[in-house]
Amino acid sequence: MAEDRIAALEAKLADMERRLTVREGELDVKKLQYLYGYLIDKCMYNEVVDLFADDGEVRFFGGVWKGKEGVRRLYVERFQKRFTYGNNGPIDGFLLDHPQIQTIIDIDADGKTARLRGRSTMQAGRHKDYEGDEPHLKARQWWEGGLYENTYVKGDDGKWRIKCLNYFPHWHADFEKGWAYTPEEYVPFPKVLYPEDPSGPDALIEDHWLWPTHKLLPFHMKHPITGQEMVAQRWQGDEERTRKKAAAKAG
């Protein structure tokens, strides 16, 4: 009957519109995240802050920077002042590449929320001819590898913004020796909150670690075939080593 054919066509059209919304969202979010990488590469921190929602946040190195002001505090008051002398852009002799790779993006059913898992393998350093006076401005070169588990929101203007940038650096390595010789807590975790630390986080994350500790950053998605949560086992030998270290520190 004609009514049945029309109903089938309408259902097919609705399904195509839904799928198109998902695909467009995936492409828009990927473009947004890739732009974030390019802006971070060139230390354009003001433009990075503009990628966030007003109630966005950053989860980074065991700290949480909340709201647009918290995001600005991290990127402008901390990174910009520390890396580029307050300059909003690259400076000679300083390298900070953040390639964005292996992105997996899922769009929620409402079409207004997205989640991304991705990776960055960073190359960074300061040239010997461009050293500054402070210890962190001396010549050095290092690698960094980390994962993102980010959340994005689509505003009423149709534009996607970062709601939560959850970047978890997993490992670091000096270029000369490599990751087999990386000391624990290669970069110290934040321990002092804002405002006591003017560029510090609003809160701390307890379960944070660095290489050579090696754990799974939880997936935002379930296994595509089984539909089950993907949970990694923790090797008993690592658990025992962790207990011994804690006991030794406790004295």
Side-chain angles (χ1 to χ4, degrees):
M1 295 179 63
E3 292 83 358
D4 293 337
R5 291 197 297 271
I6 291 173
L9 288 172
E10 288 177 341
K12 185 175 182 179
L13 178 60
D15 182 62
M16 291 177 64
E17 288 179 342
R18 180 191 61 79
R19 292 167 60 188
L20 179 60
T21 298
V22 169
R23 292 294 177 261
E24 286 184 338
E26 290 173 351
L27 291 173
D28 289 344
V29 169
K30 181 181 288 187
K31 185 177 180 179
L32 174 63
Q33 184 62 31
Y34 282 7
L35 176 59
Y36 170 86
Y38 280 115
L39 292 173
I40 287 291
D41 287 349
K42 300 309 175 189
C43 303
M44 298 176 68
Y45 297 112
N46 293 339
E47 287 77 4
V48 168
V49 174
D50 291 336
L51 297 179
F52 283 80
D54 289 341
D55 60 347
E57 68 177 35
V58 179
R59 302 173 72 85
F60 173 71
F61 261 116
V64 185
W65 284 260
K66 299 179 179 180
K68 205 69 168 283
E69 287 308 309
V71 173
R72 182 173 298 279
R73 196 164 67 243
L74 174 64
Y75 287 102
V76 177
E77 296 302 316
R78 194 179 189 94
F79 293 160
Q80 189 178 91
K81 289 183 177 180
R82 182 178 180 87
F83 294 147
T84 60
Y85 303 99
N87 184 68
N88 188 57
I91 62 172
D92 292 346
F94 183 63
L95 178 70
L96 198 68
D97 284 351
H98 286 74
Q100 307 291 297
I101 54 180
Q102 287 187 302
T103 53
I104 299 175
I105 300 167
D106 291 291
I107 309 296
D108 283 9
D110 62 5
K112 296 182 179 180
T113 305
R115 304 170 204 283
L116 173 148
R117 187 180 183 93
R119 182 184 301 279
S120 180
T121 304
M122 186 180 76
Q123 302 86 45
R126 194 175 300 272
H127 193 278
K128 66 180 181 61
D129 294 338
Y130 293 85
E131 291 186 323
D133 295 330
E134 299 297 325
H136 67 273
L137 297 174
K138 299 304 181 183
R140 60 179 300 211
Q141 51 192 5
W142 74 96
W143 299 92
E144 176 180 305
L147 291 175
Y148 300 92
E149 269 290 350
N150 297 348
T151 305
Y152 309 79
V153 289
K154 189 176 184 180
D156 294 335
D157 58 1
K159 296 180 180 180
W160 287 92
R161 293 174 175 83
I162 302 172
K163 177 64 178 296
C164 177
L165 188 124
N166 179 21
Y167 177 58
F168 201 113
H170 279 183
W171 60 270
H172 298 82
D174 288 327
F175 191 88
E176 294 79 6
K177 290 186 176 181
W179 40 85
Y181 295 91
T182 302
E184 293 187 13
E185 200 166 329
Y186 181 88
V187 178
F189 299 153
K191 297 178 176 63
V192 181
L193 298 178
Y194 176 82
E196 184 178 351
D197 178 353
S199 64
D202 297 285
L204 299 179
I205 302 171
E206 290 187 8
D207 186 20
H208 194 76
W209 46 268
L210 281 175
W211 173 264
T213 300
H214 191 192
K215 300 179 184 180
L216 175 72
L217 178 66
F219 292 93
H220 71 262
M221 79 290 277
K222 294 182 180 180
H223 193 285
I225 307 303
T226 66
Q228 302 298 311
E229 299 284 349
M230 294 179 283
V231 180
Q233 277 188 314
R234 183 75 173 147
W235 181 47
Q236 188 61 34
D238 289 332
E239 290 291 305
E240 184 62 27
R241 185 183 293 107
T242 299
R243 283 193 292 269
K244 288 181 179 179
K245 286 183 179 180
K249 287 183 179 179

